[in-house]
Amino acid sequence: MTVQLNHTIVAANDREKTARFFTEILGLPEPEEFGPFLMVKPANEVTLDVMQRDGEIPAQHYAFMVDEAEFDEIFGRIKDRGVRHWADPGHNRPDTINTNDGGRGVYFEDPNGHNLEILTREYGSGS
């Protein structure tokens, strides 16, 4: 068997709100409850296991590869909901996207301050 990432835990002050944010913004199926987790399932079999946590939550980064049509749909939902977004991970270029590697990318935050990213081309793949 080759090594594959199976799941990661996403800490949240409100697990329902966070799981709903992920599924609604990204256009994913409803989360599934499993023990203390709400499991969000992107298409590649890795789950984001959202877990309730009290107190301050250190920000993590979660990047999602999407195709051009999905980018348009997700970015449309980001703008429609008034979610702040940036072209860069340091949040120095607000209200715009990047065109790195000949694709498109944008960064935005979930309700806990996790830095989410959607991108259409892998890093280093462009001309």
Side-chain angles (χ1 to χ4, degrees), residues 3-104:
V3 176
Q4 297 179 21
L5 180 63
N6 177 265
H7 67 275
T8 190
I9 295 174
V10 178
N13 290 128
D14 182 331
R15 75 179 190 143
E16 288 80 13
K17 181 179 179 181
T18 299
R20 189 171 45 257
F21 180 85
F22 273 87
T23 59
E24 290 176 358
I25 286 287
L26 297 173
L28 299 173
E30 288 294 312
E32 296 177 19
E33 192 157 2
F34 181 75
F37 307 108
L38 284 177
M39 295 171 27
V40 175
K41 295 184 174 185
N44 62 342
E45 305 300 323
V46 173
T47 62
L48 303 169
D49 296 350
V50 182
M51 182 177 186
Q52 187 75 29
R53 183 168 172 189
D54 295 326
E56 185 177 339
I57 295 177
Q60 297 293 314
H61 175 65
Y62 302 98
F64 302 92
M65 183 67 63
V66 299
D67 66 25
E68 292 291 337
E70 289 168 324
F71 186 94
D72 290 337
E73 292 169 8
I74 295 167
F75 189 52
R77 289 189 287 267
I78 289 168
K79 292 189 301 184
D80 288 347
R81 293 172 187 226
V83 175
R84 294 178 55 198
H85 57 279
W86 301 266
D88 63 304
H91 299 181
N92 296 310
R93 296 171 44 208
D95 305 320
T96 189
I97 66 170
N98 68 60
T99 55
N100 298 342
D101 294 301
R104 294 184 293 165

